[in-house]
Amino acid sequence: MKLADNKATLSFSNGSPSVEMPVYQGSIGPDVIDIRKLYAQTGMFTYDPGFLSTASCQSAITYIDGDKGELLYRGYPIEQLAVNCDFLETCHLLLYGNLPNETQKKDFTSRVTNHTMVNEQMQFFLRGFRRDAHPMAVLTGLVGALSAFYHDSTDINNPQHREVAAIRLIAKMPTLVAMAYKYGKGEPYMYPRNDLSYAGNFLRMMFGTPCEDYVVNPVLERALDRIFILHADHEQNASTSTVRLCGSSGTNPFAAIAAGVACLWGPAHGGANEACLNMLEDIQRQGGVSKVGEFMEKVKDKNSGVKLMGFGHRVYKNYDPRAKLMQETCNEVLKELGLENDPLFKLAKELEKIALEDDYFVSRKLYPNVDFYSGIVQRAMGIPVNLFTGIFALARTVGWIAQLNEMISDPEYKIGRPRQLFTGSERAGKRAAAIQTLIVDGPRPPTHESPPHPGGLFLWCAGSASRPRIVVTPVTVQRVLP
Ligand code: ACO
């Protein structure tokens, strides 16, 4: 890290001595004040829930200029990568820091292609899920389960293991996402094909069947590849920070990525594409474009709890550059499929037009994010709404693993362990210190008492076996049963 010429001084109004803190400069973007010694020097923590002003790490992978609406992967603007590169080249860039030359590209593509199959045992694991399980629930389980199948790539401190885990994850995610989809549909899984591109292979595993040949549509293949590129990394967002925090304990890479998948699922993050399409379908059902004004009034009413999904971003205070590219892809895909008059696309454009002119959105600098149009593209391709976030997870896996590997290689990295401002009771009273009891309350009074376990928790087992009611309550033991 590069020290800046200036230092920061923190002074206190109560006469405590002021503290000087070093300032570090990034290559671009805001400088950071190094507060690591603050607690040792002052006995105080900083308070920043939601990380509004806190850099949790140093990173050389992705840079966002939220005011300009700029996104760079290793210095390359996303617009250039989306137009001139394919997803695997982008993966190489994110993982190793450079766009591959021809030999490197061939080698990298071949390594990924040769890891696309999953252990045959995975399908039996998958069978444990209900067919109607949400694909993100399935994926969280499947990705974590990879650690049970590939024991030679679970040591996060071994560079060779990390490298193999990275290739395996990038290669196997499309297979797992397609398997989750096929399982839900009750169709046979399609094994990967090595002669197809990364996106083409995924389309075939999704929509092909063993009954006939599947011909990849090049427009859809390119569109999907672009979706993957646009979602590949986004610096220290919620899921990436989750992966870093999870991995900081030294857990295996598959478990850390599974944590990222779980975090991504939420509607404020990767789940926004699903939530956005559900919102559009909802407005469409209620009357479509004619209901946009009414809907916008609800969005602006803080008490309604309604948000314009696919709008707003913690970092972008300008147009998300990915949303522009996604809108372009949306036009291409709808044209290719003869869906130019798609009512949801029209509705989305109308919502965007109104929002961009409305003072509520203008004053808060709320613009469409990548998820505003990605759902329309995916839906047109035949991807079910509940799989949108799974596609996002597939694409983001390379970003997660690149960030995880960067963290482990950083000599300054430590286990992540935030502090807190404690606002609870000062000291536990007699009642709380007493033994707590778990009461199993059935129609009949308790008849049996289990021995207390070492934590001092009593279990009273009782009641009808057919319909026990369980009440867990932190009460003091008032009587001991004979
Ligand atoms: N609709 C209506 N109002 C909004 C929206 C929205 N989509 N987004 C933000 N606002 C309002 C907030 O209510 C707040 O208003 P206030 O200042 O009057 O209280 C103001 O704009 C600032 O928003 P915050 O919620 O404080 O911003 P934050 O950075 O915490 O949240 C977030 C960002 C979560 C993305 C938010 O904009 C949101 O919920 N958007 C909708 C969900 C979405 O599209 N998520 C995808 C993000 S991109 C991605 O993860 C791939």
Side-chain angles (χ1 to χ4, degrees):
M1 289 200 291
K2 188 177 162 214
L3 267 176
D5 297 333
N6 57 330
K7 285 184 174 168
T9 307
L10 182 65
S11 55
F12 303 90
S13 59
N14 64 358
S16 301
S18 58
V19 181
E20 259 192 5
M21 288 167 293
V23 173
Y24 290 101
Q25 273 179 339
S27 37
I28 35 175
D31 295 350
V32 298
I33 303 169
D34 183 350
I35 56 162
R36 280 176 290 182
K37 295 206 174 113
L38 185 71
Y39 178 56
Q41 289 173 338
T42 66
M44 291 170 93
F45 300 137
T46 55
Y47 180 64
D48 185 17
F51 295 95
L52 293 171
S53 301
T54 298
S56 60
C57 62
Q58 53 173 319
S59 180
I61 301 176
T62 295
Y63 175 73
I64 304 171
D65 186 324
D67 291 326
K68 283 196 205 151
E70 191 175 65
L71 170 61
L72 311 174
Y73 291 168
R74 303 277 190 188
Y76 290 92
I78 190 70
E79 293 83 355
Q80 282 183 23
L81 296 169
V83 172
N84 300 319
C85 296
D86 65 27
F87 179 64
L88 285 185
E89 287 171 313
T90 308
C91 289
H92 191 284
L93 175 69
L94 289 168
L95 278 177
Y96 308 115
N98 65 294
L99 280 170
N101 60 29
E102 223 165 282
T103 318
Q104 288 169 328
K105 184 177 175 183
K106 224 170 131 193
D107 172 61
F108 184 69
T109 307
S110 147
R111 276 191 292 149
V112 170
T113 308
N114 284 302
H115 278 92
T116 47
M117 279 202 298
V118 293
N119 188 300
E120 200 64 4
Q121 207 56 20
M122 277 304 262
Q123 59 169 295
F124 301 113
F125 181 73
L126 188 57
R127 272 195 212 163
F129 288 97
R130 283 170 54 137
R131 296 255 177 202
D132 62 355
H134 194 286
M136 287 302 279
V138 174
L139 278 175
T140 309
L142 290 185
V143 174
L146 289 175
S147 52
F149 290 93
Y150 302 102
H151 294 147
D152 58 343
S153 48
T154 53
D155 179 2
I156 210 167
N157 293 312
N158 180 328
Q160 185 58 28
H161 279 219
R162 292 203 298 271
E163 169 66 16
V164 180
I167 298 292
R168 283 197 170 128
L169 278 156
I170 294 165
K172 294 182 199 308
M173 275 304 273
T175 315
L176 295 180
V177 174
M179 281 174 81
Y181 170 65
K182 289 292 198 189
Y183 182 72
K185 279 202 94 182
E187 285 185 5
Y189 306 125
M190 296 293 285
Y191 286 101
R193 279 273 300 267
N194 289 0
D195 57 334
L196 295 174
S197 71
Y198 189 84
N201 176 49
F202 178 65
L203 282 170
R204 182 181 163 278
M205 287 192 293
M206 284 284 293
F207 301 118
T209 68
C211 313
E212 53 193 35
D213 287 341
Y214 179 82
V215 182
V216 177
N217 177 323
V219 176
L220 303 193
E221 182 182 20
R222 181 68 203 142
L224 195 59
D225 197 72
R226 178 175 278 193
I227 291 178
F228 294 162
I229 293 173
L230 299 185
H231 288 86
D233 195 42
H234 215 222
E235 52 121 304
Q236 309 312 318
N237 55 81
S239 57
T240 302
S241 302
T242 301
V243 169
R244 278 185 178 258
L245 191 57
C246 184
S248 77
S249 72
T251 190
N252 72 77
F254 302 109
I257 301 301
V261 175
C263 176
L264 188 76
W265 191 359
H269 191 13
N273 49 19
E274 180 177 345
C276 179
L277 204 95
N278 287 336
M279 171 193 79
L280 292 174
E281 282 179 339
D282 240 31
I283 304 172
Q284 189 60 26
R285 263 193 301 274
Q286 287 163 27
V289 173
S290 66
K291 292 285 173 184
V292 164
E294 211 176 287
F295 176 75
M296 285 307 219
E297 286 314 309
K298 273 194 219 151
V299 169
K300 290 191 277 179
D301 173 7
K302 281 286 158 76
N303 299 321
S304 71
V306 177
K307 276 199 168 174
L308 181 55
M309 300 312 285
F311 253 73
H313 199 274
R314 169 62 60 79
V315 183
Y316 292 118
K317 300 302 166 199
N318 199 330
Y319 219 104
D320 177 343
R322 303 168 302 169
K324 276 190 196 145
L325 292 158
M326 194 55 81
Q327 198 186 23
E328 225 176 83
T329 300
C330 200
N331 277 321
E332 282 165 21
V333 167
L334 295 179
K335 186 161 171 250
E336 171 68 13
L337 299 174
L339 298 170
E340 294 96 330
N341 292 321
D342 179 58
L344 287 198
F345 190 42
K346 283 192 171 160
L347 181 61
K349 280 187 169 167
E350 186 61 23
L351 278 169
E352 179 187 339
K353 190 167 151 268
I354 293 182
L356 292 180
E357 287 166 0
D358 192 303
D359 187 55
Y360 175 93
F361 293 90
V362 175
S363 63
R364 289 172 176 77
K365 298 187 177 170
L366 300 171
Y367 291 85
N369 60 51
V370 66
D371 291 322
F372 197 61
Y373 288 106
S374 71
I376 299 172
V377 182
Q378 294 185 55
R379 175 175 159 274
M381 287 175 152
I383 296 168
V385 179
N386 68 0
L387 202 69
F388 291 176
T389 316
I391 307 275
F392 191 160
L394 181 173
R396 182 55 59 84
T397 295
V398 63
W400 288 330
I401 197 95
Q403 300 266 354
L404 181 64
N405 289 353
E406 181 184 65
M407 178 189 76
I408 302 291
S409 318
D410 183 347
E412 302 218 340
Y413 119 80
K414 284 182 184 304
I415 185 170
R417 207 311 185 177
R419 299 299 195 134
Q420 65 175 11
L421 174 68
F422 183 66
T423 55
S425 311
E426 270 182 42
R427 204 159 293 282
K430 247 187 183 173
R431 188 171 178 271
I435 300 165
Q436 295 189 332
T437 307
L438 173 72
I439 298 175
V440 179
D441 175 23
R444 284 181 293 133
T447 55
H448 169 75
E449 185 190 2
S450 73
H453 75 60
L457 193 78
F458 281 81
L459 178 64
W460 291 357
C461 306
S464 135
S466 59
R467 202 179 139 269
R469 283 183 298 122
I470 297 177
V471 180
V472 181
T473 167
V475 296
T476 316
V477 174
Q478 286 171 350
R479 75 195 163 106
V480 177
L481 293 176

